[in-house]
Structures are given as structure tokens and as C-alpha cells.
Amino acid sequence: MDSERFTRLSERQRDYLRQVFQHRNSQEIAFAANVSARAVDKQLQLAKDIIGANTRFEAARLFAEYEAGVEHFYPASALPSQRAFWPLPLPVPTKARSTNALTWQQVLAWGVIIAIAAPVAITVAAMVIIALELLFGVHL
């Protein structure tokens, strides 16, 4: 794929393609960019034509590969890269990461952590309340 095609994309088109690659639809992109969904569709159509892709999703995939510096190899010659499981990223948006990019293993780990931590925290809170009642002789 000729890299000149990607340099011809506007910054708006690049941003929209990044969001399409994150599986957002036109209405979600439009809401985030404070424009109409039709304007988003038009920019994505132009980007698709510039890149020479058949669909917006193919254009987004090709652009993501271009940004990542992925070179096209015969599939058997390159192993897929896996994201590190640990350290476990927070399951909520942060300034550094505004989108949820957790793998299914990380989601499962957070589910187990929350399932164990929530009852323990409630039990400890109840024990503290009981201890304070006994210490001060106050019944709530």
C-alpha cells in the first residue's frame, strides 16, 4: 500500500478512521466530534476513496496498520503479538486511556477481583460499625 495515500488524508479523516477502527458508528463519532452523522459519513467516504478501500472498515484497518508501521508479510512468517496481562490496567477511562482496551482475560480478572473485594469490604465496614457501637455504647 502506497504510503502517499495515507499522507493525503486530512486530520479529521484520520481521527474518524481511528474511531471506526474502534468499532464506533457514525452517530457515535458525530456526537463526540459535535458534527452531524452525515458529515462523518462524507469524510469517511472521501477517506475510503483516497485509500482505495472497498469499505470504511477496510480503510480503517489499513490506516491502523499504516500508523502502527505494520509491514505486510506472508501470514506464517510473523507471529501475532499479545498484550501484556499484567500490570492490570484500570477498568475505567483515564486521561492516558479514554477508551476501554481491556482483553477478555483482563475483564475476567477484574470481575474476580470485584467479586472478592466487594463482600470483604462490606464485612469490614460492618465490623467497624459494630466495634464503634460497642466502644461508645451507642446503638444505631
Side-chain angles (χ1 to χ4, degrees), residues 5 16 28 70 82 114:
R5 293 180 184 187
Y16 292 171
E28 293 170 329
V70 174
Q82 292 185 349
I114 292 169

Side-chain angles (χ1 to χ4, degrees), residues 3-140:
S3 64
E4 178 198 328
R5 293 180 184 187
F6 297 109
T7 57
R8 290 177 32 210
L9 295 171
S10 71
E11 189 57 39
R12 180 184 307 169
Q13 291 167 340
R14 291 169 182 258
D15 183 45
Y16 292 171
L17 286 172
R18 287 182 194 108
Q19 293 187 51
V20 168
F21 189 68
Q22 295 172 352
H23 302 287
R24 291 196 173 105
N25 62 33
S26 295
Q27 291 176 341
E28 293 170 329
I29 297 169
F31 181 76
N34 200 22
V35 296
S36 70
R38 186 176 171 135
V40 171
D41 288 336
K42 182 178 178 183
Q43 289 298 319
L44 287 171
Q45 179 68 36
L46 290 171
K48 180 179 75 81
D49 293 342
I50 290 170
I51 294 172
N54 293 325
T55 66
R56 63 171 38 185
F57 303 107
E58 181 184 1
R61 180 186 54 81
L62 292 171
F63 179 66
E65 288 176 359
Y66 167 75
E67 280 196 319
V70 174
E71 296 180 23
H72 295 282
F73 291 113
Y74 180 70
S77 67
L79 295 174
S81 60
Q82 292 185 349
R83 296 184 57 207
F85 178 76
W86 201 262
L88 198 58
L90 292 175
V92 295
T94 61
K95 287 184 180 178
R97 244 184 226 191
S98 61
T99 59
N100 180 359
L102 298 177
T103 64
W104 69 268
Q105 294 100 337
Q106 292 169 332
V107 171
L108 182 64
W110 273 112
V112 169
I113 290 169
I114 292 169
I116 293 171
V120 169
I122 292 170
T123 303
V124 169
M127 290 170 45
V128 167
I129 290 171
I130 291 170
L132 290 174
E133 285 180 352
L134 292 173
L135 185 63
F136 296 115
V138 177
H139 295 289
L140 297 177

